[in-house]
């Protein structure tokens, strides 16, 4: 039976874990790069330049600042992603075994930092640089999870370096351009589950232990892209913005290993495209104290159609048709200047998931999400302020129903049936100063 575990099957079972999500944003996006933005659920973010962190969403808006600005934030993310279901095994369509496959807290907590610096060069030109992350994911199932052959551990970490420049066309219009260099590091693996181990061992007439590696890939790469923005102030009370961040293409090069298939032990790579996104945002003052914000964000996830493993021996294998859908995110917020020291914020957002029931799996716990947030700014001095925000995210419960072939002929299959639910808490603080 060990030999019947084909190269294609081994790759297919494992690499699907790349698309697992922390369930915080559509696909594997990360929005945690601005505490003041999080306070209003990122509503109107591209149109509200309160500090240097605006560079991440709209490079044009950094032209508003008259002095050098520095912002640094750190966000603590505490996701709670649970799966509840059963896994069965069938030969020739006849079910031969069924096991419970449920687990809580498959996504780890995370700390997400960011840093931004902007500087006016002259009356028309400003420049800046940001260091932050826009994409990342993690999922980690325990060794006794009975569907490790569907999903085990997946982790993708990324950091983006983004220099940018803004040009003031006239008193009301600014345009901006940024270039980005993104470094991503990934580890993806799958393993033999406790429920699968005795079945494989009986067929192979040799012991195949639980947690034996089916496939493991470790790799990293640099990818390059660009972002542009327009910032328009038609009146003293209204800001309107449009920004776009282009797709970043990465090829994660590294090593492939397997305990079951010796031919997999060779260098390999995986293509990973970080989706393009576009934001339209409005910041509307009502009076000197109250303002409202709104934004719509479109992310071009439909370009993420498949996962494909590229091995050093020249073999390319279609791993899995992901067939992500494009996603929309709508956000609404309010800002209230209480006094010279305190500014208060609140917001709501609806974040559209990128997978349908047909394409959802254990390795893609992605679904529609509701964001509710609150935040404040404390002005320490004329030049220094501190932002804080709290966000609660509630994901809609989603069904999972996936079948996977476990041999080359497709006569030995495994099916997972269950549900996935997700919530998350985010705490963020940020220091802003000008000089």
């Amino acid at each position: 039976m060990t030999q019947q575990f084909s190269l294609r099957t081994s790759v297919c079972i494992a690499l699907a874990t790349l698309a697992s999500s922390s369930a915080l944003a559509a696909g594997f996006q990360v929005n945690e790069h601005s505490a003041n933005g999080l306070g209003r659920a990122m509503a109107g973010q591209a149109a509200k330049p309160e500090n240097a962190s605006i560079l991440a969403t709209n490079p044009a808006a950094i032209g508003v600042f008259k002095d050098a600005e520095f912002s640094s934030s750190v966000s603590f993310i505490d996701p709670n992603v649970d799966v509840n279901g059963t896994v069965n095994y069938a030969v020739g369509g006849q079910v031969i075994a069924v096991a419970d496959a449920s687990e809580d807290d498959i996504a780890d907590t995370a700390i997400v930092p960011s840093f931004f610096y902007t500087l006016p060069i002259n009356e028309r030109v400003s420049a800046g640089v940001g260091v932050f992350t826009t994409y990342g994911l993690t999922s980690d199932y325990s060794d006794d999870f009975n569907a490790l052959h569907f999903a085990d551990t997946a982790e993708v970490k990324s950091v983006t370096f983004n220099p940018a420049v803004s040009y003031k066309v006239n008193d009301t219009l600014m345009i901006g351009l940024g270039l980005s260099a993104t470094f991503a590091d990934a580890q993806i693996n799958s393993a033999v589950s406790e429920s699968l181990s005795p079945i494989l061992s009986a067929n192979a007439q040799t012991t195949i232990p639980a947690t034996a590696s089916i496939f493991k890939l470790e790799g990293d790469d640099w990818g390059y892209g660009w972002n542009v923005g327009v910032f328009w102030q038609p009146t003293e009370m209204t800001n309107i913005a449009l920004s776009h961040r282009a797709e970043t293409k990465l090829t994660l090069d590294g090593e492939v290993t397997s305990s079951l298939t010796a031919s997999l032990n060779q260098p390999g790579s995986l293509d990973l495209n970080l989706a393009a996104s576009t934001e339209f945002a409005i910041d509307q003052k009502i009076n000197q104290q109250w303002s409202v914000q709104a934004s719509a964000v479109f992310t071009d996830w439909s370009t993420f159609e498949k996962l494909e493993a590229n091995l050093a021996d020249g073999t390319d294998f279609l791993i899995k048709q992901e067939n992500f859908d494009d996603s929309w995110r709508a956000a609404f917020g309010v800002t209230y200047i209480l006094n010279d020291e305190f500014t208060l914020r609140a917001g709501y957002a609806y974040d559209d998931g990128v997978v349908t029931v047909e394409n959802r799996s254990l390795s893609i716990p992605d679904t529609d999400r509701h964001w509710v947030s609150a935040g404040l700014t404390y002005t320490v001095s004329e030049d220094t302020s501190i932002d804080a925000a709290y966000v609660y995210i509630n994901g809609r419960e989603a069904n999972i129903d996936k079948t996977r072939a476990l041999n080359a002929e497709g006569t030995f299959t495994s099916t997972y049936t269950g549900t996935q639910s997700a919530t998350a808490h985010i705490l963020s603080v940020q220091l802003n100063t000008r000089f």
Side-chain angles (χ1 to χ4, degrees), residues 138-211:
T138 180
S139 64
D140 187 11
Y141 290 87
S142 64
D143 288 349
D144 58 1
F145 180 58
N146 271 322
L148 288 178
H149 51 291
F150 278 90
D152 185 3
T153 300
E155 184 176 58
V156 175
K157 297 179 180 179
S158 73
V159 59
T160 295
F161 300 86
N162 194 164
V165 62
S166 172
Y167 178 73
K168 183 179 292 185
V169 178
N170 53 45
D171 290 340
T172 64
L173 180 66
M174 302 174 192
I175 57 175
L177 170 67
L179 301 176
S180 60
T182 298
F183 177 77
D185 178 85
Q187 175 181 323
I188 306 103
N189 66 278
S190 70
V192 176
S193 62
E194 289 186 354
S195 59
L196 179 58
S197 174
I199 301 173
L200 291 183
S201 299
N203 281 274
Q205 296 183 345
T206 187
T207 301
I208 299 178
T211 72

Side-chain angles (χ1 to χ4, degrees), residues 17-24 27-30 77 79 81 105-111 135-141 152-157 187 362-365:
T17 59
L18 178 63
S20 61
S21 165
S22 61
L24 299 182
F28 39 92
Q29 282 181 294
V30 176
I77 305 172
V81 183
D105 296 330
I106 67 168
D108 296 334
T109 58
I111 301 292
Y135 293 91
L137 64 90
T138 180
S139 64
D140 187 11
Y141 290 87
D152 185 3
T153 300
E155 184 176 58
V156 175
K157 297 179 180 179
Q187 175 181 323
L362 281 175
S363 56
I364 311 177

Side-chain angles (χ1 to χ4, degrees), residues 150-415:
F150 278 90
D152 185 3
T153 300
E155 184 176 58
V156 175
K157 297 179 180 179
S158 73
V159 59
T160 295
F161 300 86
N162 194 164
V165 62
S166 172
Y167 178 73
K168 183 179 292 185
V169 178
N170 53 45
D171 290 340
T172 64
L173 180 66
M174 302 174 192
I175 57 175
L177 170 67
L179 301 176
S180 60
T182 298
F183 177 77
D185 178 85
Q187 175 181 323
I188 306 103
N189 66 278
S190 70
V192 176
S193 62
E194 289 186 354
S195 59
L196 179 58
S197 174
I199 301 173
L200 291 183
S201 299
N203 281 274
Q205 296 183 345
T206 187
T207 301
I208 299 178
T211 72
S213 173
I214 297 172
F215 185 96
K216 182 177 182 180
L217 169 67
E218 294 179 287
D220 55 59
D221 189 30
W222 283 92
Y224 304 94
W226 51 272
N227 60 307
V228 294
V230 177
F231 183 74
W232 182 39
Q233 296 176 294
T235 73
E236 292 183 357
M237 304 292 281
T238 305
N239 297 336
I240 299 174
L242 181 66
S243 64
H244 176 79
R245 182 170 294 276
E247 178 184 55
T248 300
K249 297 182 178 180
L250 299 141
T251 299
L252 304 175
D253 293 314
E255 294 294 323
V256 180
T257 59
S258 173
S259 300
L260 299 184
T261 307
S263 59
L264 285 178
N265 294 299
Q266 58 176 296
S269 66
L270 181 74
D271 292 336
L272 177 65
N273 296 339
L274 306 181
S277 63
T278 302
E279 177 176 354
F280 176 74
I282 297 175
D283 172 34
Q284 178 64 53
K285 289 183 180 179
I286 298 174
N287 53 42
Q288 293 304 308
Q289 289 182 290
W290 289 92
S291 64
V292 293
Q293 294 77 40
S295 60
V297 180
F298 171 79
T299 305
D300 188 18
W301 276 118
S302 62
T303 60
F304 189 48
E305 297 179 349
K306 62 182 180 180
L307 291 170
E308 190 169 65
N310 311 115
L311 303 178
D313 63 8
T315 306
D316 295 337
F317 290 95
L318 176 64
I319 309 309
K320 185 172 180 256
Q321 288 293 148
E322 295 294 348
N323 295 324
F324 273 20
D325 291 336
D326 294 330
S327 69
W328 284 93
R329 184 180 191 276
F332 304 91
V334 60
T335 302
Y336 176 64
I337 301 175
L338 180 64
N339 51 42
D340 290 340
E341 292 184 333
F342 288 98
T343 298
L344 308 180
R345 303 179 184 86
Y348 166 80
Y350 178 78
D351 201 2
D352 191 27
V354 300
V355 293
T356 62
V357 174
E358 178 184 359
N359 293 310
R360 184 176 293 111
S361 67
L362 281 175
S363 56
I364 311 177
D366 183 63
T367 186
D368 304 337
R369 287 156 297 275
H370 299 273
W371 292 48
V372 180
S373 70
L376 62 83
T377 294
Y378 172 63
T379 302
V380 180
S381 68
E382 182 179 353
D383 297 323
T384 302
S385 63
I386 297 173
D387 301 320
Y390 167 75
V391 182
Y392 174 72
I393 301 173
N394 185 27
R396 178 177 58 83
E397 184 175 274
N399 294 324
I400 306 172
D401 189 357
K402 300 297 293 183
T403 297
R404 182 161 296 150
L406 298 181
N407 65 355
E409 297 79 13
T411 57
F412 178 27
T413 62
S414 181
T415 298

Side-chain angles (χ1 to χ4, degrees), residues 5-87:
F5 250 82
S6 67
L7 176 63
R8 181 185 180 89
T9 299
S10 298
V11 175
C12 183
I13 292 174
L15 277 192
T17 59
L18 178 63
S20 61
S21 165
S22 61
L24 299 182
F28 39 92
Q29 282 181 294
V30 176
N31 289 312
E32 291 70 37
H33 47 69
S34 171
N36 59 288
L38 287 171
R40 55 177 181 274
M42 303 303 284
Q45 183 65 9
K48 195 163 182 63
E50 295 176 294
N51 51 62
S53 67
I54 187 69
L55 185 150
T57 47
N58 189 358
I62 66 174
V64 169
F65 305 125
K66 304 301 182 182
D67 303 299
E69 299 265 344
F70 174 78
S71 294
S72 177
S73 71
V74 60
S75 298
F76 172 74
I77 305 172
D78 182 22
N80 181 16
V81 183
D82 303 334
V83 295
N84 294 280
T86 60
V87 61

